[in-house]
Amino acid sequence: MKINSINTQYQLNTRRTQNNKTSQNQQNPSFGGVKDVIAEPLSNFYDKVASNGKFQKFVTKFSRTNSFTHLMVAESCFLSGFYMINTLRNKKIKKEQKPQMLINDAMTLGVSTAGAYLLDDKVSGVVTKVADNYFKNNKDFYIDKAKDTAQKMASSIKEEIGAATVDASDDAIAAITKKISGQFKGMDKSKAFQITADKLDEVTKTVATAIKENKGSADKAKEAVAGTIDDIYGKLAGKMEADKIMPGINKIKTLVIFGIIYRYLGPVLVTPLANKLSSKFFDKKKPEEQKTQQAK
């Protein structure tokens, strides 16, 4: 009796376990098939596209221009065109209402697009000034954040300065000073991380003097320029770090401008004018049509 009881209990437990597993499988369906069929091919495709050299060049060039603004305009033109075509095809809209709606859509699109381009260009200068003042007030934060980058850049140029002391030729000195000048091109325009032309000229003279006076002694030359090089490359790295957030700021600026103009200013200013124009050109026909019908 005991054996039968044990066997019966064992069978019941086994069935319960199997039922629980079946229930869990039903509640948690596997998406392995979907992953294999869709996710992996898409992942491979995106990886190939992102790794493509031409695509990377396109993205780099695209991010440096106002192409984002053009995209926003193109999107607005597409949507407005869609609405206008839908207005023409929609049988539920009365025939006499369609001209007014089409004029309103077309004028809103035109005025908003022109206003968005004009305002975007005007606001860009203001945004740049505000951002530059912000960076000026937080210069030390960005310089400290980019200290590792600054150290690597400074160490690299110091090694080249040290190597130039082997013969301390005019060509070697000219090559290094030209490289330094090129790296700091445009830094005089930055309020926060400014390296003026006079300051840069002073730096290149310091480098040239250090190389000539320490011919054959790389360590002494590097030591002589250490303070100057560390200072200017700290500012350069800080500016590079700060510049990383500027594309995002510019895109937010464009989004805000387009949102305000296309969604508020355009419709509010244009709609009353569009109504007057449509009334002027199309409401005159109604009395004439009525007279024609009465004459018949």
Side-chain angles (χ1 to χ4, degrees):
M1 293 295 291
K2 289 182 180 180
I3 293 174
N4 290 337
S5 177
I6 292 171
N7 287 337
T8 302
Q9 187 64 36
Y10 173 77
Q11 291 173 356
L12 288 171
N13 290 337
T14 302
R15 288 175 183 172
R16 288 173 182 168
T17 301
Q18 291 174 345
N19 289 336
N20 288 336
K21 287 182 178 180
T22 302
S23 177
Q24 288 176 357
N25 289 334
Q26 290 175 347
Q27 293 175 0
N28 302 297
S30 174
F31 293 97
V34 176
K35 179 182 176 182
D36 294 337
V37 175
I38 298 177
E40 290 187 3
L42 280 176
S43 178
N44 293 332
F45 171 75
Y46 291 137
D47 182 61
K48 288 181 180 179
V49 171
S51 302
N52 184 274
K54 292 181 179 180
F55 179 76
Q56 291 175 351
K57 288 180 180 179
F58 166 75
V59 171
T60 301
K61 186 176 180 180
F62 181 83
S63 63
R64 291 176 181 172
T65 64
N66 60 345
S67 300
F68 184 69
T69 305
H70 299 329
L71 274 181
M72 295 288 292
V73 170
E75 179 196 22
S76 299
C77 290
F78 173 78
L79 291 175
S80 296
F82 173 79
Y83 293 143
M84 294 169 73
I85 292 172
N86 189 55
T87 299
L88 289 171
R89 291 180 176 178
N90 197 329
K91 296 179 180 180
K92 295 182 180 180
I93 300 175
K94 293 180 180 180
K95 188 176 180 180
E96 59 270 17
Q97 291 179 335
K98 289 184 179 182
Q100 181 178 334
M101 296 177 69
L102 291 172
I103 290 174
N104 182 55
D105 287 341
M107 289 185 63
T108 300
L109 174 63
V111 172
S112 297
T113 299
Y117 272 121
L118 179 63
L119 192 59
D120 188 62
D121 184 57
K122 296 293 183 183
V123 171
S124 293
V126 176
V127 171
T128 300
K129 289 181 180 179
V130 171
D132 213 21
N133 286 331
Y134 164 77
F135 293 138
K136 185 178 181 180
N137 294 331
N138 296 274
K139 177 177 65 176
D140 294 338
F141 168 78
Y142 288 98
I143 290 176
D144 183 65
K145 189 175 180 181
K147 61 183 178 182
D148 291 339
T149 302
Q151 193 173 30
K152 290 178 182 178
M153 295 172 69
S155 296
S156 177
I157 203 72
K158 286 177 191 175
E159 290 299 323
E160 292 187 37
I161 291 171
T165 60
V166 174
D167 57 5
S169 66
D170 291 337
D171 290 340
I173 294 172
I176 290 177
T177 54
K178 184 179 179 180
K179 181 176 181 178
I180 293 173
S181 298
Q183 288 176 325
F184 289 87
K185 186 178 180 180
M187 287 286 285
D188 58 325
K189 297 178 181 179
S190 171
K191 292 181 180 179
F193 309 95
Q194 193 175 49
I195 300 293
T196 63
D198 291 339
K199 175 66 176 177
L200 187 58
D201 186 53
E202 180 186 330
V203 170
T204 53
K205 285 180 179 179
T206 299
V207 170
T209 301
I211 293 172
K212 288 181 179 179
E213 292 182 351
N214 296 282
K215 182 178 180 180
S217 179
D219 290 338
K220 288 184 178 180
K222 288 191 283 186
E223 185 179 349
V225 299
T228 301
I229 293 297
D230 289 342
D231 176 57
I232 62 170
Y233 277 92
K235 291 180 180 179
L236 177 60
K239 185 177 185 302
M240 291 168 60
E241 186 67 31
D243 285 346
K244 290 179 181 179
I245 69 172
M246 281 306 298
I249 292 175
N250 287 327
K251 284 178 173 57
I252 291 173
K253 171 209 67 179
T254 302
L255 284 171
V256 171
I257 290 172
F258 269 70
I260 292 174
I261 290 181
Y262 275 93
R263 303 304 176 195
Y264 179 71
L265 291 181
V268 169
L269 295 176
V270 174
T271 298
L273 180 60
N275 290 338
K276 288 182 180 179
L277 286 174
S278 61
S279 297
K280 182 178 180 180
F281 289 104
F282 294 98
D283 286 355
K284 288 181 179 180
K285 294 183 179 180
K286 292 180 181 180
E288 293 175 0
E289 290 175 357
Q290 289 176 359
K291 288 180 181 178
T292 304
Q293 290 176 358
Q294 290 175 358
K296 292 179 179 179

